[in-house]
mmCIF file of all heavy atoms in Angstrom:
data_model
loop_
_atom_site.group_PDB
_atom_site.id
_atom_site.type_symbol
_atom_site.label_atom_id
_atom_site.label_comp_id
_atom_site.label_asym_id
_atom_site.label_seq_id
_atom_site.Cartn_x
_atom_site.Cartn_y
_atom_site.Cartn_z
ATOM 1 N N ASN A 140 32.144 51.137 -10.985
ATOM 2 C CA ASN A 140 32.027 52.576 -11.242
ATOM 3 C C ASN A 140 30.774 53.137 -10.583
ATOM 4 O O ASN A 140 30.785 54.233 -10.029
ATOM 5 C CB ASN A 140 32.027 52.880 -12.739
ATOM 6 C CG ASN A 140 33.397 52.787 -13.355
ATOM 7 O OD1 ASN A 140 34.412 52.902 -12.668
ATOM 8 N ND2 ASN A 140 33.446 52.563 -14.649
ATOM 9 N N HIS A 141 29.695 52.383 -10.631
ATOM 10 C CA HIS A 141 28.456 52.826 -9.986
ATOM 11 C C HIS A 141 28.615 52.837 -8.466
ATOM 12 O O HIS A 141 28.279 53.825 -7.809
ATOM 13 C CB HIS A 141 27.289 51.930 -10.409
ATOM 14 C CG HIS A 141 25.973 52.383 -9.868
ATOM 15 N ND1 HIS A 141 25.318 53.492 -10.339
ATOM 16 C CD2 HIS A 141 25.209 51.889 -8.860
ATOM 17 C CE1 HIS A 141 24.194 53.667 -9.661
ATOM 18 N NE2 HIS A 141 24.113 52.701 -8.755
ATOM 19 N N LEU A 142 29.128 51.749 -7.899
ATOM 20 C CA LEU A 142 29.312 51.674 -6.441
ATOM 21 C C LEU A 142 30.275 52.745 -5.938
ATOM 22 O O LEU A 142 30.107 53.254 -4.821
ATOM 23 C CB LEU A 142 29.830 50.288 -6.031
ATOM 24 C CG LEU A 142 28.871 49.116 -6.190
ATOM 25 C CD1 LEU A 142 29.549 47.828 -5.735
ATOM 26 C CD2 LEU A 142 27.574 49.338 -5.435
ATOM 27 N N ASP A 143 31.253 53.104 -6.748
ATOM 28 C CA ASP A 143 32.227 54.120 -6.353
ATOM 29 C C ASP A 143 31.588 55.489 -6.139
ATOM 30 O O ASP A 143 32.189 56.365 -5.517
ATOM 31 C CB ASP A 143 33.350 54.227 -7.396
ATOM 32 C CG ASP A 143 34.306 53.059 -7.339
ATOM 33 O OD1 ASP A 143 34.364 52.366 -6.296
ATOM 34 O OD2 ASP A 143 35.009 52.829 -8.348
ATOM 35 N N GLY A 144 30.382 55.678 -6.623
ATOM 36 C CA GLY A 144 29.682 56.944 -6.459
ATOM 37 C C GLY A 144 28.986 57.096 -5.114
ATOM 38 O O GLY A 144 28.332 58.104 -4.861
ATOM 39 N N PHE A 145 29.137 56.092 -4.237
ATOM 40 C CA PHE A 145 28.426 56.107 -2.959
ATOM 41 C C PHE A 145 29.374 55.834 -1.792
ATOM 42 O O PHE A 145 30.355 55.109 -1.931
ATOM 43 C CB PHE A 145 27.312 55.050 -2.956
ATOM 44 C CG PHE A 145 26.297 55.276 -4.024
ATOM 45 C CD1 PHE A 145 26.420 54.654 -5.256
ATOM 46 C CD2 PHE A 145 25.233 56.151 -3.825
ATOM 47 C CE1 PHE A 145 25.496 54.870 -6.264
ATOM 48 C CE2 PHE A 145 24.309 56.375 -4.829
ATOM 49 C CZ PHE A 145 24.435 55.733 -6.052
ATOM 50 N N THR A 146 29.025 56.427 -0.656
ATOM 51 C CA THR A 146 29.772 56.174 0.574
ATOM 52 C C THR A 146 28.843 55.520 1.591
ATOM 53 O O THR A 146 27.614 55.471 1.385
ATOM 54 C CB THR A 146 30.335 57.479 1.180
ATOM 55 O OG1 THR A 146 29.233 58.276 1.650
ATOM 56 C CG2 THR A 146 31.189 58.243 0.185
ATOM 57 N N LEU A 147 29.417 55.088 2.679
ATOM 58 C CA LEU A 147 28.627 54.514 3.764
ATOM 59 C C LEU A 147 27.581 55.517 4.249
ATOM 60 O O LEU A 147 26.454 55.143 4.571
ATOM 61 C CB LEU A 147 29.556 54.081 4.901
ATOM 62 C CG LEU A 147 28.912 53.443 6.123
ATOM 63 C CD1 LEU A 147 28.100 52.209 5.755
ATOM 64 C CD2 LEU A 147 29.985 53.091 7.143
ATOM 65 N N ALA A 148 27.919 56.777 4.269
ATOM 66 C CA ALA A 148 26.975 57.813 4.712
ATOM 67 C C ALA A 148 25.719 57.822 3.849
ATOM 68 O O ALA A 148 24.623 58.133 4.341
ATOM 69 C CB ALA A 148 27.651 59.178 4.699
ATOM 70 N N ASP A 149 25.836 57.470 2.574
ATOM 71 C CA ASP A 149 24.675 57.432 1.681
ATOM 72 C C ASP A 149 23.695 56.316 2.045
ATOM 73 O O ASP A 149 22.539 56.337 1.618
ATOM 74 C CB ASP A 149 25.121 57.248 0.224
ATOM 75 C CG ASP A 149 25.892 58.440 -0.295
ATOM 76 O OD1 ASP A 149 25.503 59.588 0.006
ATOM 77 O OD2 ASP A 149 26.904 58.226 -1.001
ATOM 78 N N LEU A 150 24.133 55.344 2.819
ATOM 79 C CA LEU A 150 23.285 54.219 3.204
ATOM 80 C C LEU A 150 22.515 54.479 4.501
ATOM 81 O O LEU A 150 21.674 53.682 4.897
ATOM 82 C CB LEU A 150 24.119 52.951 3.365
ATOM 83 C CG LEU A 150 24.945 52.525 2.157
ATOM 84 C CD1 LEU A 150 25.711 51.247 2.466
ATOM 85 C CD2 LEU A 150 24.073 52.346 0.935
ATOM 86 N N LEU A 151 22.821 55.583 5.146
ATOM 87 C CA LEU A 151 22.222 55.885 6.446
ATOM 88 C C LEU A 151 21.031 56.811 6.267
ATOM 89 O O LEU A 151 21.138 57.841 5.624
ATOM 90 C CB LEU A 151 23.259 56.532 7.360
ATOM 91 C CG LEU A 151 24.604 55.804 7.459
ATOM 92 C CD1 LEU A 151 25.547 56.589 8.351
ATOM 93 C CD2 LEU A 151 24.436 54.383 7.938
ATOM 94 N N ASN A 152 19.907 56.435 6.829
ATOM 95 C CA ASN A 152 18.721 57.274 6.787
ATOM 96 C C ASN A 152 17.922 57.079 8.074
ATOM 97 O O ASN A 152 18.236 56.227 8.898
ATOM 98 C CB ASN A 152 17.868 56.986 5.544
ATOM 99 C CG ASN A 152 17.408 55.550 5.465
ATOM 100 O OD1 ASN A 152 17.261 54.872 6.468
ATOM 101 N ND2 ASN A 152 17.168 55.067 4.257
ATOM 102 N N LYS A 153 16.897 57.856 8.250
ATOM 103 C CA LYS A 153 16.105 57.826 9.490
ATOM 104 C C LYS A 153 15.480 56.454 9.741
ATOM 105 O O LYS A 153 15.587 55.933 10.860
ATOM 106 C CB LYS A 153 15.034 58.932 9.443
ATOM 107 C CG LYS A 153 14.116 58.966 10.630
ATOM 108 C CD LYS A 153 14.722 59.683 11.807
ATOM 109 C CE LYS A 153 13.684 59.976 12.869
ATOM 110 N NZ LYS A 153 13.712 59.060 13.993
ATOM 111 N N PRO A 154 14.839 55.817 8.750
ATOM 112 C CA PRO A 154 14.274 54.487 9.030
ATOM 113 C C PRO A 154 15.341 53.470 9.447
ATOM 114 O O PRO A 154 15.114 52.649 10.348
ATOM 115 C CB PRO A 154 13.616 54.086 7.707
ATOM 116 C CG PRO A 154 13.330 55.374 7.020
ATOM 117 C CD PRO A 154 14.444 56.299 7.420
ATOM 118 N N THR A 155 16.508 53.514 8.824
ATOM 119 C CA THR A 155 17.587 52.596 9.196
ATOM 120 C C THR A 155 18.076 52.919 10.602
ATOM 121 O O THR A 155 18.311 52.025 11.423
ATOM 122 C CB THR A 155 18.749 52.689 8.180
ATOM 123 O OG1 THR A 155 18.241 52.401 6.889
ATOM 124 C CG2 THR A 155 19.860 51.713 8.509
ATOM 125 N N TYR A 156 18.222 54.191 10.894
ATOM 126 C CA TYR A 156 18.618 54.632 12.239
ATOM 127 C C TYR A 156 17.616 54.106 13.270
ATOM 128 O O TYR A 156 18.006 53.554 14.297
ATOM 129 C CB TYR A 156 18.698 56.161 12.280
ATOM 130 C CG TYR A 156 19.105 56.706 13.620
ATOM 131 C CD1 TYR A 156 20.441 56.911 13.932
ATOM 132 C CD2 TYR A 156 18.158 57.025 14.576
ATOM 133 C CE1 TYR A 156 20.836 57.404 15.165
ATOM 134 C CE2 TYR A 156 18.524 57.527 15.815
ATOM 135 C CZ TYR A 156 19.859 57.717 16.109
ATOM 136 O OH TYR A 156 20.229 58.191 17.342
ATOM 137 N N ASP A 157 16.332 54.261 12.997
ATOM 138 C CA ASP A 157 15.307 53.813 13.936
ATOM 139 C C ASP A 157 15.356 52.305 14.176
ATOM 140 O O ASP A 157 15.082 51.838 15.282
ATOM 141 C CB ASP A 157 13.911 54.209 13.433
ATOM 142 C CG ASP A 157 13.677 55.712 13.471
ATOM 143 O OD1 ASP A 157 14.430 56.428 14.172
ATOM 144 O OD2 ASP A 157 12.744 56.177 12.790
ATOM 145 N N LEU A 158 15.720 51.552 13.157
ATOM 146 C CA LEU A 158 15.814 50.094 13.300
ATOM 147 C C LEU A 158 17.072 49.642 14.041
ATOM 148 O O LEU A 158 17.043 48.653 14.773
ATOM 149 C CB LEU A 158 15.827 49.429 11.919
ATOM 150 C CG LEU A 158 14.506 49.320 11.201
ATOM 151 C CD1 LEU A 158 14.732 48.878 9.764
ATOM 152 C CD2 LEU A 158 13.581 48.356 11.922
ATOM 153 N N LEU A 159 18.180 50.341 13.836
ATOM 154 C CA LEU A 159 19.469 49.840 14.297
ATOM 155 C C LEU A 159 20.101 50.569 15.474
ATOM 156 O O LEU A 159 21.057 50.055 16.051
ATOM 157 C CB LEU A 159 20.480 49.846 13.135
ATOM 158 C CG LEU A 159 20.150 48.961 11.948
ATOM 159 C CD1 LEU A 159 21.238 49.085 10.893
ATOM 160 C CD2 LEU A 159 19.969 47.520 12.373
ATOM 161 N N TYR A 160 19.608 51.750 15.811
ATOM 162 C CA TYR A 160 20.271 52.482 16.883
ATOM 163 C C TYR A 160 20.058 51.763 18.197
ATOM 164 O O TYR A 160 18.940 51.423 18.582
ATOM 165 C CB TYR A 160 19.767 53.923 16.986
ATOM 166 C CG TYR A 160 20.528 54.705 18.043
ATOM 167 C CD1 TYR A 160 21.836 55.109 17.811
ATOM 168 C CD2 TYR A 160 19.954 55.003 19.262
ATOM 169 C CE1 TYR A 160 22.559 55.797 18.770
ATOM 170 C CE2 TYR A 160 20.660 55.703 20.228
ATOM 171 C CZ TYR A 160 21.961 56.095 19.981
ATOM 172 O OH TYR A 160 22.670 56.772 20.932
ATOM 173 N N TYR A 161 21.145 51.508 18.890
ATOM 174 C CA TYR A 161 21.132 50.824 20.168
ATOM 175 C C TYR A 161 21.286 51.881 21.248
ATOM 176 O O TYR A 161 22.349 52.480 21.384
ATOM 177 C CB TYR A 161 22.277 49.801 20.223
ATOM 178 C CG TYR A 161 22.376 49.069 21.525
ATOM 179 C CD1 TYR A 161 21.440 48.099 21.874
ATOM 180 C CD2 TYR A 161 23.417 49.332 22.407
ATOM 181 C CE1 TYR A 161 21.535 47.428 23.070
ATOM 182 C CE2 TYR A 161 23.525 48.649 23.598
ATOM 183 C CZ TYR A 161 22.575 47.700 23.930
ATOM 184 O OH TYR A 161 22.667 47.024 25.115
ATOM 185 N N SER A 162 20.232 52.130 21.988
ATOM 186 C CA SER A 162 20.246 53.170 23.010
ATOM 187 C C SER A 162 21.218 52.811 24.125
ATOM 188 O O SER A 162 21.167 51.726 24.691
ATOM 189 C CB SER A 162 18.838 53.333 23.585
ATOM 190 O OG SER A 162 18.835 54.334 24.561
ATOM 191 N N LYS A 163 22.113 53.732 24.398
ATOM 192 C CA LYS A 163 23.098 53.529 25.452
ATOM 193 C C LYS A 163 22.565 54.126 26.743
ATOM 194 O O LYS A 163 22.081 55.247 26.759
ATOM 195 C CB LYS A 163 24.442 54.204 25.114
ATOM 196 C CG LYS A 163 25.237 53.467 24.057
ATOM 197 C CD LYS A 163 24.642 53.680 22.740
ATOM 198 C CE LYS A 163 25.457 53.116 21.594
ATOM 199 N NZ LYS A 163 24.793 53.334 20.338
ATOM 200 N N ILE A 164 22.637 53.374 27.817
ATOM 201 C CA ILE A 164 22.160 53.860 29.108
ATOM 202 C C ILE A 164 23.338 54.447 29.869
ATOM 203 O O ILE A 164 24.346 53.771 30.092
ATOM 204 C CB ILE A 164 21.522 52.713 29.926
ATOM 205 C CG1 ILE A 164 20.362 52.119 29.121
ATOM 206 C CG2 ILE A 164 21.088 53.193 31.290
ATOM 207 C CD1 ILE A 164 19.820 50.832 29.683
ATOM 208 N N PRO A 165 23.254 55.722 30.254
ATOM 209 C CA PRO A 165 24.356 56.323 31.005
ATOM 210 C C PRO A 165 24.583 55.590 32.336
ATOM 211 O O PRO A 165 23.629 55.163 32.980
ATOM 212 C CB PRO A 165 23.916 57.765 31.246
ATOM 213 C CG PRO A 165 22.651 57.961 30.509
ATOM 214 C CD PRO A 165 22.163 56.621 30.039
ATOM 215 N N ILE A 166 25.814 55.462 32.736
ATOM 216 C CA ILE A 166 26.163 54.760 33.974
ATOM 217 C C ILE A 166 25.605 55.481 35.201
ATOM 218 O O ILE A 166 25.064 54.876 36.099
ATOM 219 C CB ILE A 166 27.685 54.580 34.098
ATOM 220 C CG1 ILE A 166 28.161 53.662 32.979
ATOM 221 C CG2 ILE A 166 28.069 54.028 35.448
ATOM 222 C CD1 ILE A 166 29.648 53.551 32.868
ATOM 223 N N ASN A 167 25.692 56.799 35.229
ATOM 224 C CA ASN A 167 25.215 57.588 36.370
ATOM 225 C C ASN A 167 23.953 58.353 35.991
ATOM 226 O O ASN A 167 23.883 59.563 36.093
ATOM 227 C CB ASN A 167 26.292 58.589 36.832
ATOM 228 C CG ASN A 167 27.518 57.868 37.369
ATOM 229 O OD1 ASN A 167 27.399 56.847 38.012
ATOM 230 N ND2 ASN A 167 28.681 58.420 37.109
ATOM 231 N N ALA A 168 22.937 57.636 35.568
ATOM 232 C CA ALA A 168 21.703 58.287 35.148
ATOM 233 C C ALA A 168 20.993 58.898 36.359
ATOM 234 O O ALA A 168 20.903 58.296 37.422
ATOM 235 C CB ALA A 168 20.782 57.274 34.485
#
Side-chain angles (χ1 to χ4, degrees):
N140 284 337
H141 184 73
L142 291 180
D143 286 340
F145 300 93
T146 68
L147 181 57
D149 294 319
L150 304 180
L151 310 178
N152 59 27
K153 177 82 167 101
T155 303
Y156 180 90
D157 291 343
L158 283 170
L159 298 180
Y160 184 73
Y161 178 72
S162 180
K163 286 74 173 179
I164 301 169
I166 295 172
N167 295 323

